[in-house]
Amino acid sequence: MLDALFKPKAVAVIGASAKELHIGNQIIRNLLDFGFKGSVYPINPKASEIRGVKAYKSILDVPTEVDVVHMAIPALFVPQAIEDCGRKGVKLVILNGGGFSETGPAGAAIEKDCMVRARQHGIRIFGPNCQGIINTDPEVRAYCNFTFTRPEPGSISIVALSGGVASLIHQAFADMGVGTRLYASNGNACDVSIPEIVQYFGNDEKTRAIVLYVEGLRDASRFLEVVRKVAAKKPILAMKAGRTEEGAKAASSHTGGIAKQEMATDLIFEKAGILSFRDEAELCQAGAVFASQPVPHGKRVGVITNTGGPAVIATDALVAGGLTIPVLSEQAKEVLTNTLFPEASIGNPLDVLATAEGKHFRAAMDTMMDEDQIDSIYINFVTAPFVDTESIAREIVEVNRQQRKPIICNLMTDKGQWTETVRILKDGNVPIYDFPGAAAKALAALARYGEIRRRKTGKPKLFQDVDQWTAKTIIEQAQGAGRKTLSAAEVYGILNAYKIPVAEWRIAANAEEAERCAAEIGYPVVVKADSGSILHKSDRGGVAVNLQNGRAVRAAVNRMSKRFDAQDLKFLIQEYLPGGKEIIVGAKAEEGLGHLVMFGIGGVHVEVLQDTVFKLSPVTSAEAQEMFCSLKATPLLGAVRGKKGVDKKGVTQVIQRVSQLVTEVPGIQEMDINPIIAYEDHVFAVDARISL
Ligand code: ADP
Ligand code: MG
C-alpha cells in the first residue's frame, strides 16, 4: 500500500532547518512552492516557524495524523526518531540523509536497526540515502523531494534508485515538454523496493508509461514476476548501467565463458517484456513518444520532409532501427500529384519542398494516414522563413490530435526565433526532436514496443516422455561421491533420460574392447579420450574421427593411452556422423534466477565465432523458434544452394528439453552439448559436458 507515500495528506519534516541550504529546509520549500494540497509540519525543537509554517518541537505534538515523515537528520538519531513516529502512528518514513549501508558495516547496522524498529511499528521505510517522491497530480501536488526540477503534470512515471539519474531523466522530460506523473528515487531501498514501486505505477491509471533505471537487480526472480505483469499492461522503458564490468570468469566450459553476468538482466528485461535501452538520451527521447503517441501496428514508416539531406539521414536511421520505408500506392501518388507543388518529389520519403504551406503538409499527412501499408509518420520540418510555419505546425497538431497513427517530428529551427511554432507543436503534444537520427530512434523504439506487445511467447511445453528419476539419480550419485563433473557415460545417461538424441556410443577400457565396441556400432567410428581431467579433447589430440577399421581404432587407442596418463582414462567409441551442421545447446545456472539457456553455432570454434543466443529458462516453443532464427549464421542452417536445411523441429526440441532438464532436475551448474550434429531430418549429440 503505497498510497500513503504517493498521496499523502500530511507530511512532516524531522530536521526541518531554518538554514536555507539544508535538505530539511528545501523539502519544505518544495512542498510549499509546488502547491502541496495537504498539510506541512516542520519539526524543530528550537524554531517556532520555518518558511512561515508553524513548527513543532516533536512529531508527537503534531495535531493531525501524519502519513509521511521526512528525516533530514544524522543517521545516528534516526532509530530514536522512528520510535517517535511509531508512537505517532506515522505510516511511512522517507530517510533522505546518508550514513547508512552505503557507507559500510557501521551504517549498515543503523539501517538494520531502523528496519527492525519500523517493522515493529508497521512503518514502511523509503530510502535511506534517497531523494524521495513527487506526485504531480493536481489533487495532490506532493513534492516530497529535494531535487531541482519542477515538472509539469504528465503521463510518464519515473523510478530509479539513483537520485542523480532520476533527476537527469526528469529534467530531460521537462526540457522536451513532456510532463511527469509520479517520480520515485529510493536510494538504498532497504524496504520499499523497485518492483513494488513499478507495481504501484502499473496500477496508477494516469501513468501511461514507466521509465526505469537500474544498475543491478536485487531479487531478480521477484522482479521478473512482478514487473512482467505490469509490462503486460503498459510500456516499461528501462536502462541498465554498469555494463563494462566483465562478469566473465575463467571459463570451465563454453557456455560459462560466453554468458556474461550482465546478460541475465537483459534476458530478464526481455522475458518481462521491458523495452531496454543502452543510452540515457535515447531512453528519454523514446519516453517522449510514449507520452503522447499510439503504438503502431507495424514497422512501416511514411517519411514527409521539406528538406532533402535530413530525409536521407532519417531514412538511414529508421532502417537501422529495424523500420521499413514502403513505396506509396498508385492512388496515394495520384492524390499527392494533384495537391502538392509540381516539383515535389512524390514517393517515400515524400519531399513536399521547403516552400510547402500548411495545406501541402496536411495533404501529405492525410494521405499517409490513409495508406494501409503505412503504420507511422516521420516528419522533417525545417522552418523556412518564406512560409507560414505556424500554420504548418497547426496542421501537424490537428492530425496528431486524431491519434490514428504515431507522428514524430524532427524540427529544424532556431527555437529562440520561431517560439510560436515551437509552442504550438509542444502544446499540441507532438514529440519534437533536434536531430533526424534522434527522432528516428525514438520512433523505432515505439515500433519495437509494438512488436513486444504482439509477440506470443506461450507457456513452456513439458515433455512427458522424460525420465526425471534417472537423471536425478545420476546427479545425486555423483554429488554423493563429491564430484563436480560427470563422466561421459553419466552425461549420455542423462541425455538419454531426457530423450535428447545421441550418436550411438560405447565405453571401452582398452584397445581390444574398443575394437569390439566399434564392430558392434559399425564402421566408420570415432574414438575419444574420456577422463574427468580432459576438458577440450580435440585440442589435445583426444579425438580421432572417421576410423575405418579395427587397426585404426587400436592405433588411436594406443596413441591416446600414451598421450594421457590420467588414472580414470577410458575410451568413448562413437558412431561417425559426417556432413551435418554443428550446433551447440547449453545452460548455465544464474544465482536466484534459474538458468540461462544457450543456442549457437557449435563445434570447436564456438568461442571464435561467438554466434550464440541466450534465453532465460524455462524456454517456450516460441522462444526456441526465435533462438533458432536469431543467429547470424541462421541462414546457413536453412536451405542453401540446393541443399535442404537442418531439422529445425529437432533443434528447437533439444533446446526445450535442455531447458526442462535444468529446470526440473536440481544441481546442474552448467552444461553444454557441443556439437550437436544436425541433418535435414535428424539431430544427434556427439559431445556433452555437465558440471554440478
Ligand atoms: P571436444 O569438444 O572435447 O574437443 P568433441 O567430441 O566435441 O571434442 O569433438 C571435436 C570435434 O570433432 C567436433 O566438433 C566434431 O567436428 C568432430 N566430431 C566429434 N565427434 C564426432 C562424430 N561422432 N562424428 C563426426 N564428427 C565428430
Ligand atoms: Mg565438443
Side-chain angles (χ1 to χ4, degrees):
M1 262 306 286
L2 295 183
D3 269 346
L5 173 65
F6 287 101
K7 297 175 185 165
K9 292 192 178 65
V11 176
V13 180
I14 294 183
S17 169
K19 280 184 253 151
E20 247 193 66
L21 296 181
H22 189 281
I23 288 179
N25 188 287
Q26 288 301 317
I27 288 169
I28 293 182
R29 187 191 76 153
N30 286 339
L31 282 163
L32 299 178
D33 287 1
F34 205 62
F36 177 46
K37 297 291 176 190
S39 321
V40 181
Y41 299 113
I43 310 295
N44 184 315
K46 289 177 207 131
S48 61
E49 56 88 26
I50 308 267
R51 286 193 177 267
V53 182
K54 178 175 165 44
Y56 294 83
K57 294 204 179 331
S58 154
I59 185 75
L60 297 165
D61 299 336
V62 172
T64 69
E65 274 189 23
V66 176
D67 301 299
V68 170
V69 169
H70 280 274
M71 292 198 190
I73 52 177
L76 219 54
F77 302 126
V78 169
Q80 184 51 49
I82 287 178
E83 290 292 338
D84 292 346
C85 290
R87 261 183 286 154
K88 176 67 188 164
V90 169
K91 298 190 184 82
L92 190 135
V93 166
I94 299 179
L95 298 181
N96 293 104
F100 296 90
S101 60
E102 80 283 0
T103 58
I110 302 177
E111 192 171 297
K112 195 161 172 221
D113 186 19
C114 294
M115 269 305 294
V116 170
R117 289 169 197 261
R119 285 248 161 86
Q120 275 165 3
H121 294 293
I123 296 176
R124 299 298 310 271
I125 294 182
F126 191 85
N129 186 29
C130 77
Q131 274 186 353
I133 67 100
I134 299 173
N135 182 352
T136 64
D137 192 305
E139 308 275 297
V140 183
R141 304 290 298 170
Y143 203 118
C144 299
N145 205 306
F146 58 77
T147 188
F148 51 88
T149 59
R150 286 286 177 275
E152 292 294 327
S155 60
I156 304 225
S157 292
I158 304 165
V159 55
L161 294 182
S162 156
V165 175
S167 307
L168 179 156
I169 296 170
H170 205 184
Q171 185 62 40
F173 283 144
D175 292 343
M176 285 187 283
V178 177
T180 304
R181 165 80 182 153
L182 304 169
Y183 172 96
S185 169
N186 58 337
N188 297 4
C190 77
D191 181 14
V192 176
S193 67
I194 294 267
E196 208 177 347
I197 297 169
V198 170
Q199 189 171 40
Y200 186 82
F201 289 179
N203 292 332
D204 173 53
E205 248 174 56
K206 290 187 179 150
T207 293
R208 186 170 163 146
I210 298 168
V211 170
L212 167 68
Y213 168 81
V214 296
E215 280 152 20
L217 301 176
R218 297 233 179 113
D219 184 348
S221 57
R222 184 172 133 72
F223 177 93
L224 177 59
E225 184 193 316
V226 172
V227 173
R228 192 178 202 172
K229 291 197 190 110
V230 178
K233 285 191 291 195
K234 55 181 78 166
I236 302 179
L237 288 67
M239 173 166 160
K240 185 212 179 277
R243 286 178 176 277
T244 49
E245 187 192 8
E246 288 293 334
K249 37 185 189 318
S252 62
S253 74
H254 301 297
T255 312
I258 295 163
K260 304 274 192 298
Q261 289 280 294
E262 66 166 64
M263 186 184 288
T265 312
D266 289 333
L267 294 176
I268 291 168
F269 282 3
E270 183 187 70
K271 201 144 197 140
I274 288 177
L275 194 58
S276 158
F277 293 82
R278 291 194 164 230
D279 179 285
E280 67 287 358
E282 271 176 38
L283 168 72
C284 296
Q285 284 156 354
V289 197
F290 282 83
S292 62
Q293 299 303 308
V295 178
H297 295 297
K299 302 168 114 183
R300 303 160 303 176
V301 185
V303 178
I304 300 171
T305 189
N306 62 352
T307 168
V312 180
I313 298 179
T315 304
D316 279 352
L318 289 165
V319 172
L323 301 171
T324 60
I325 320 285
V327 292
L328 300 180
S329 67
E330 288 309 315
Q331 197 191 346
K333 283 183 192 163
E334 196 185 316
V335 173
L336 291 166
T337 309
N338 293 332
T339 44
L340 300 183
F341 288 122
E343 299 82 6
S345 116
I346 309 293
N348 191 14
L350 173 63
D351 192 340
V352 294
L353 303 182
T355 43
E357 301 283 347
K359 64 176 182 195
H360 300 111
F361 268 89
R362 181 60 186 255
M365 289 185 287
D366 284 347
T367 308
M368 297 278 194
M369 284 292 177
D370 289 340
E371 281 282 82
D372 283 339
Q373 71 267 40
I374 284 182
D375 304 305
S376 55
I377 298 181
Y378 170 104
I379 301 172
N380 266 328
F381 175 14
V382 63
T383 53
F386 37 81
V387 293
D388 177 0
T389 56
E390 288 166 25
S391 92
I392 295 174
R394 272 190 292 273
E395 292 297 350
I396 296 176
V397 167
E398 198 51 48
V399 176
N400 182 44
R401 198 161 285 145
Q402 298 167 0
Q403 293 275 302
R404 287 169 71 192
K405 295 172 185 173
I407 296 182
I408 57 160
C409 177
N410 168 46
L411 179 66
M412 292 160 284
T413 193
D414 174 356
K415 287 181 191 147
Q417 287 189 61
W418 270 265
T419 47
E420 187 54 16
T421 303
V422 174
R423 191 199 60 77
I424 293 168
L425 289 171
K426 273 195 177 175
D427 286 0
N429 291 323
V430 178
I432 52 178
Y433 296 86
D434 297 333
F435 293 99
K441 280 181 184 161
L443 187 60
L446 191 66
R448 200 149 49 94
Y449 176 70
E451 298 238 290
I452 292 176
R453 284 244 74 135
R454 287 188 294 275
R455 77 180 181 180
K456 289 189 185 69
T457 44
K459 286 220 157 51
K461 176 184 162 94
L462 280 184
F463 295 93
Q464 298 299 327
D465 57 359
V466 304
D467 177 0
Q468 200 179 326
W469 185 84
T470 296
K472 269 191 178 145
T473 308
I474 293 173
I475 286 174
E476 279 162 14
Q477 275 168 3
Q479 281 169 331
R483 282 186 291 128
K484 288 258 174 268
T485 51
L486 299 187
S487 71
E490 289 168 328
V491 172
Y492 286 113
I494 289 175
L495 296 187
N496 229 354
Y498 270 71
K499 299 275 186 301
I500 295 167
V502 301
E504 212 188 326
W505 59 278
R506 304 275 191 284
I507 295 285
N510 51 43
E512 199 173 283
E513 256 182 65
E515 199 180 338
R516 200 168 53 238
C517 293
E520 277 171 33
I521 292 169
Y523 289 100
V525 297
V526 177
V527 171
K528 300 181 187 180
D530 175 34
S531 152
S533 61
I534 308 172
L535 206 54
H536 300 298
K537 298 177 289 292
S538 54
D539 294 355
R540 300 176 55 194
V543 176
V545 299
N546 196 10
L547 305 176
Q548 299 287 346
N549 50 45
R551 197 156 44 93
V553 167
R554 280 197 310 275
V557 168
N558 290 333
R559 209 170 48 241
M560 288 180 201
S561 303
K562 281 198 199 104
R563 177 160 296 158
F564 304 105
D565 63 352
Q567 285 286 314
D568 63 342
L569 185 65
K570 288 209 172 63
F571 303 93
L572 181 88
I573 317 302
Q574 194 175 50
E575 181 184 357
Y576 175 61
L577 296 169
K581 295 264 161 55
E582 298 192 14
I583 57 169
I584 177 171
V585 174
K588 176 182 181 284
E590 194 64 31
E591 176 103 15
L593 191 63
H595 287 76
L596 307 185
V597 175
M598 176 176 84
F599 165 67
I601 296 300
V604 291
H605 299 310
V606 61
E607 279 98 348
V608 181
L609 295 170
Q610 293 222 352
D611 194 7
T612 50
V613 51
F614 288 80
K615 291 264 183 217
L616 219 52
S617 67
V619 176
T620 68
S621 164
E623 286 173 328
Q625 312 275 335
E626 198 193 313
M627 289 172 90
F628 184 91
C629 295
S630 54
L631 299 180
K632 279 175 248 144
T634 296
L636 298 179
L637 298 178
V640 190
R641 299 207 166 213
K643 284 194 178 170
K644 281 201 182 166
V646 305
D647 177 12
K648 180 173 173 186
K649 189 162 167 239
V651 174
T652 52
Q653 272 221 11
V654 172
I655 296 172
Q656 292 172 81
R657 285 176 184 274
V658 164
S659 163
Q660 183 175 343
L661 167 64
V662 295
T663 308
E664 67 189 13
V665 175
I668 298 179
Q669 176 62 32
E670 224 169 283
M671 70 178 280
D672 59 49
I673 313 176
N674 182 31
I676 292 168
I677 299 189
Y679 297 99
E680 65 190 51
D681 50 3
H682 279 101
V683 298
F684 297 102
V686 301
D687 184 31
R689 248 184 292 278
I690 293 179
S691 61
L692 307 176

